[in-house]
Amino acid sequence: MSNLEEARYFKFTGESGHVPRPACVTLVGAGPGDPELLTLKAARVLSTASIVLYDHLVSREVLKLVPPDADLVYVGKESAHHTLPQDAIVELMLRLARDGRPVVRLKGGDPYTFGRGGEEAQALAEAGVPFEVIPGISAAQGAAACAGIPLTHRDHASSVQYVTGHLRSGQDETLRLDWPALVRPRQTLVIYMGLASLPVLSAQLIHHGMDPQTPAALVEAATLPTQRTLVGTVQSLPSLAQQHAVRSPALIIVGTVVSLQPMLAQATGRAQSILPSCEATLASA
């Protein structure tokens, strides 16, 4: 299996003068990590793929479904390190498709949920390149189910808000979130890419009226054997994350639904992966 780390290794037959009909680009959601959570359609497409452009959060187990003779091209993004800029990823997809080579664009979670799948689909549509989108189980769905935290519950939350806590251009970017909407009662708040900005997020939620003792959780490596869940409050979560050296990928869940986690996790056999609650942690500090 080829691991082509840079786009320059490709030779495009279309550049020799022949212009084939554009091939299809398939945007595939790889789910939250566990390969058994892939959709049947996603697994089928991967099993026949010839070129796969894959992101950082796609697990090795999922990549094993790709044929041995396929080209695997890593185009992942990590904090402060992008293998290829987003514009270059789009350009690579377009060049391959215009060269008549079907492309699988493999993304962690669901392509249309904080995966830039919408941006890539828009670019493909504007360029007249045919494409298909295969949805995946989102990180929020996988983390909530495997950690024992229902996203909605009639006694706790009738709505869910998904936001990104990524500090794209400094703290001001995060501060532009609709804080009054995020602190409304009877809802669940799910924060993607918020680990690095967790202290800012915690402080701003409290500043805008959220009870500091609102239950909150961090789910690290959701659905994988290394999954860890930290349960505390919106006030204590930053210190818990630092104390237990939580690493990305990690999802933040805030709301009273988190109070159900100890009971549901124990009942589903995941209690052994749960770290102490904030009260127990702070008492032993």
Side-chain angles (χ1 to χ4, degrees):
M1 183 176 295
S2 301
N3 286 278
L4 306 180
E5 299 294 338
E6 298 186 31
R8 68 169 180 267
Y9 293 161
F10 286 105
K11 295 180 179 179
F12 298 94
T13 56
E15 293 173 350
S16 63
H18 174 63
V19 182
R21 181 178 179 180
C24 182
V25 175
T26 307
L27 306 178
V28 178
D34 182 349
E36 293 189 348
L37 295 178
L38 276 173
T39 65
L40 293 174
K41 189 170 186 178
R44 176 176 59 78
V45 167
L46 289 177
S47 70
T48 59
S50 58
I51 301 176
V52 179
L53 311 184
Y54 69 99
D55 281 347
H56 173 60
L57 294 180
V58 176
S59 69
R60 294 182 180 180
E61 289 73 18
V62 169
L63 292 175
K64 290 178 181 178
L65 299 175
V66 178
D69 58 347
D71 288 328
L72 281 175
V73 186
Y74 177 68
V75 294
K77 301 180 182 68
E78 300 177 60
S79 180
H81 176 68
H82 292 183
T83 304
L84 284 178
Q86 183 62 30
D87 290 347
I89 295 173
V90 170
E91 180 62 24
L92 178 58
M93 284 194 302
L94 293 176
R95 293 183 70 192
L96 287 168
R98 287 167 174 163
D99 200 49
R101 303 166 74 175
V103 177
V104 171
R105 178 71 174 99
L106 188 59
K107 296 174 167 291
D110 179 79
Y112 279 4
T113 305
F114 298 122
R116 297 193 178 182
E119 298 172 34
E120 294 177 5
Q122 182 180 4
L124 292 167
E126 290 174 349
V129 172
F131 68 93
E132 180 181 9
V133 181
I134 300 177
I137 292 178
S138 68
Q141 292 173 311
C146 289
I149 304 172
L151 293 177
T152 62
H153 189 289
R154 286 191 297 172
D155 295 334
H156 295 273
S158 57
S159 64
V160 186
Q161 287 216 48
Y162 301 97
V163 299
T164 173
H166 181 53
L167 297 171
R168 191 175 73 180
S169 59
Q171 292 186 356
D172 287 345
E173 183 72 23
T174 295
L175 295 177
R176 294 193 188 107
L177 291 172
D178 187 355
W179 297 107
L182 300 186
V183 301
R184 290 172 185 164
R186 293 191 55 78
Q187 73 173 358
T188 302
L189 175 60
V190 179
I191 304 173
Y192 283 72
M193 297 172 282
L195 184 59
S197 59
L198 184 52
V200 174
L201 292 164
S202 173
Q204 288 297 321
L205 289 171
I206 294 171
H207 174 74
H208 285 84
M210 181 173 284
D211 185 343
Q213 298 306 307
T214 301
L218 262 173
V219 185
E220 176 189 73
T223 79
L224 297 176
T226 55
Q227 175 180 311
R228 294 194 299 167
T229 305
L230 284 73
V231 176
T233 68
V234 67
Q235 183 178 51
S236 68
L237 210 58
S239 61
L240 282 175
Q242 184 177 24
Q243 178 180 350
H244 294 284
V246 176
R247 300 179 63 183
S248 294
L251 198 77
I252 302 165
I253 304 176
V254 180
T256 59
V257 289
V258 176
S259 65
L260 301 173
Q261 191 275 339
M263 177 179 64
L264 299 183
Q266 184 176 19
T268 56
R270 288 186 175 267
Q272 68 274 14
S273 67
I274 307 306
L275 294 172
S277 67
C278 80
E279 291 79 13
T281 300
L282 293 176
S284 61

